[in-house]
């Protein structure tokens, strides 16, 4: 694995930090913490740069909150100053990690979002008879810090960059087990999460010669014409992840079935000739639409904002041809 140098100076450059600030504030400029940082951006960026260069950078405590939709999660929101640092770091390390990833790894990559992953899954379902669908139990909470630091150390040779990455990896989450876990919500966590299972991708494709394979973060699907081979692979994959990444698969969510019954993947049931949204996804979209319409009727949402919301909700359906638009004509 070839390591890369010369990135730390690019990360801490004034131009890099300013660009990172613009990316981190996109769509969030009305939030008090973001607005306060932007109002004093020159001084705040200079202080952040001084901390990074001097090796005294320390992330501030996370703001945590729970969400229930689409499923229960504990979100850890970093301070805006730290999000600026994350964007500056990822702007330099992401291209290096990107070169390691296989084509069929999706999530947090340009042109490889959830919709592309679903379409790829459908293409493979047309080609093979059976599929193995599984995912990792509590993936972000289970990432082993020492293992992740070793992976990052193989890619990035600069001591100062490696120390900075370790500071971010080991920034303690309240209630998290010592030496484990990445916060859900950080840009860095998404790239670290992709890298953490990269060796698994290569093992499946190059060592086990999986005929068809797609991964979206910790959701994995393997296709084959041999059902018994998939059963054997499921056992080997569970053992491989436990030994190399200290991870466990959800045995209750591991499924091997004919492609004709559809692959449950990223909120869709993926059939060879049809994409069908799963019920909870449909109910969630309808609930959100009712909430937006109610906000509009109460005067808390403008007509332009309501139209933008409906177009956003319609976007995935039209892209995947998964159904008719919510409203053919929106009358306001």
């Amino acid at each position: 694995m070839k390591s890369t140098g010369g990135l730390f100076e690019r990360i801490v450059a004034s131009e890099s930090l300013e660009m990172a600030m613009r990316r981190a504030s996109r769509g969030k400029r009305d939030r008090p913490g973001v607005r306060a940082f932007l109002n004093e951006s020159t001084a705040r960026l200079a202080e952040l740069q001084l901390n990074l260069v001097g090796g005294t950078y320390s992330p501030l405590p996370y703001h945590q909150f729970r969400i229930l939709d689409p499923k229960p999660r504990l979100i850890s929101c970093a301070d805006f100053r730290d999000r600026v640092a994350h964007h500056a770091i990822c702007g330099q390390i992401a291209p290096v990690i990107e070169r390691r990833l296989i084509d069929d790894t999706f999530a947090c990559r340009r042109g490889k979002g959830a919709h592309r992953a679903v379409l790829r899954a459908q293409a493979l379902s047309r080609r093979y008879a059976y599929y193995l669908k599984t995912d990792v139990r509590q993936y972000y909470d289970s990432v082993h810090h020492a293992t992740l630091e070793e992976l990052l150390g193989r890619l990035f040779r600069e001591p100062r960059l490696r120390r900075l990455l370790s500071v971010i990896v080991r920034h303690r989450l309240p209630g998290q087990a010592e030496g484990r876990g990445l916060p859900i919500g950080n840009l860095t966590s998404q790239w670290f999460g992709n890298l953490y299972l990269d060796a698994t991708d290569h093992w499946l494709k190059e060592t086990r010669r999986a005929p068809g394979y797609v991964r979206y973060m910790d959701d994995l699907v393997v296709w084959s014409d041999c059902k018994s081979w998939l059963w054997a692979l499921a056992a080997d994959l569970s053992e491989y992840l436990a030994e190399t990444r200290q991870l466990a698969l959800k045995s209750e969510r591991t499924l091997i079935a004919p492609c004709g019954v559809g692959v449950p993947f990223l909120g869709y049931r993926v059939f060879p000739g049809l994409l069908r949204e799963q019920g909870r996804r449909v109910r969630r979209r309808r609930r959100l639409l009712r909430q937006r319409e109610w906000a509009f009727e109460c005067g808390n949402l403008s007509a332009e904002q309501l139209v933008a919301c409906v177009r956003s909700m319609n976007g995935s359906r039209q892209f995947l041809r998964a159904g008719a638009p919510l409203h053919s004509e929106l009358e306001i």
Side-chain angles (χ1 to χ4, degrees):
M1 185 184 295
K2 182 179 179 181
S3 63
T4 304
L7 299 182
F8 185 81
E9 293 298 332
R10 300 179 196 172
I11 290 171
V12 301
S14 299
E15 299 80 5
S16 175
L17 293 176
E18 289 175 7
M19 187 177 299
M21 180 185 68
R22 290 196 294 270
R23 290 197 299 266
S25 63
R26 194 172 298 157
K28 305 178 181 68
R29 290 177 174 266
D30 58 336
R31 298 182 183 180
V34 177
R35 188 165 57 245
F37 190 100
L38 296 178
N39 290 339
E40 302 174 355
S41 60
T42 302
R44 295 285 191 96
L45 289 178
E47 181 184 10
L48 176 59
Q49 184 183 47
L50 184 64
N51 291 336
L52 291 171
V53 173
T56 59
Y57 170 76
S58 178
L60 297 173
Y62 289 112
H63 167 64
Q64 293 187 303
F65 57 93
R66 291 191 177 274
I67 62 171
L68 301 176
D69 195 10
K71 64 180 180 180
R73 287 181 181 273
L74 179 63
I75 304 299
S76 300
C77 185
D79 184 83
F80 183 72
R81 179 203 68 155
D82 298 324
R83 279 179 274 158
V84 172
H86 296 166
H87 275 270
I89 292 168
C90 289
Q92 299 302 323
I93 70 170
V96 179
I97 297 175
E98 175 77 27
R99 291 196 291 269
R100 284 283 312 160
L101 303 178
I102 66 172
D103 287 342
D104 285 324
T105 295
F106 294 80
C108 199
R109 303 175 69 187
R110 186 180 297 275
K112 290 185 176 292
H115 298 158
R116 296 291 182 185
V118 169
L119 291 177
R120 177 61 175 160
Q122 186 179 47
L124 291 169
S125 293
R126 291 169 178 161
R127 191 179 305 172
Y128 300 102
Y130 299 98
Y131 69 85
L132 159 65
K133 167 69 172 66
T134 189
D135 60 278
V136 178
R137 188 179 304 279
Q138 297 181 333
Y139 179 51
Y140 279 102
D141 290 339
S142 302
V143 170
H144 191 249
H145 292 169
T147 303
L148 177 57
E149 287 176 321
E150 181 183 353
L151 295 174
L152 291 169
R154 295 177 189 175
L155 286 179
F156 307 106
R157 72 170 73 105
E158 299 171 85
R160 289 191 296 177
L161 176 55
R162 293 167 71 168
R163 283 196 298 269
L164 176 58
L165 294 175
S166 293
V167 166
I168 293 173
V169 168
R170 293 189 176 274
H171 183 39
R172 187 71 182 272
L173 286 166
Q176 185 65 52
E178 184 70 29
R180 287 187 179 272
L182 294 175
I184 299 175
N186 280 4
L187 179 62
T188 50
S189 297
Q190 297 178 49
W191 282 103
F192 294 163
N194 259 344
L195 176 64
Y196 199 71
L197 286 179
D198 171 64
T200 305
D201 298 338
H202 288 276
W203 178 77
L204 283 167
K205 292 291 291 183
E206 297 162 13
T207 303
R208 295 308 305 267
R209 301 290 183 181
Y213 174 65
V214 167
R215 175 170 71 87
Y216 189 92
M217 199 53 69
D218 64 316
D219 286 338
L220 301 89
V221 190
V222 182
W223 285 263
S224 174
D225 287 326
C226 181
K227 193 173 184 179
S228 60
W229 183 84
L230 288 175
W231 279 114
L233 179 67
D236 291 346
L237 176 60
S238 179
E239 182 179 345
Y240 176 86
L241 287 174
E243 290 180 355
T244 64
R245 293 294 180 267
Q246 298 82 48
L247 298 174
L249 294 178
K250 294 179 182 177
S251 57
E252 71 279 8
R253 297 286 295 275
T254 299
L255 175 65
I256 296 175
C259 292
V261 305
V263 184
F265 189 50
L266 303 181
Y268 292 87
R269 176 71 67 168
V270 181
F271 297 90
L274 174 69
L275 294 174
R276 179 175 293 167
E277 289 183 289
Q278 293 180 333
R280 64 181 182 181
R281 185 184 180 96
V282 174
R283 291 190 292 271
R284 177 173 180 263
R285 188 180 60 251
R286 289 174 177 170
R287 183 170 62 252
L288 289 173
L289 180 60
R290 287 196 297 269
Q291 292 173 355
R292 300 298 186 270
E293 289 175 336
W294 175 252
F296 170 72
E297 292 173 2
C298 294
N300 298 325
L301 199 70
S302 68
E304 292 78 10
Q305 289 174 318
L306 178 58
V307 170
C309 289
V310 173
R311 286 176 177 169
S312 175
M313 294 179 191
N314 279 333
S316 62
R317 294 165 62 82
Q318 294 174 341
F319 181 83
L320 298 172
R321 299 178 181 177
L326 297 174
H327 294 287
S328 58
E329 291 184 5
L330 186 66
E331 296 181 0
I332 298 177

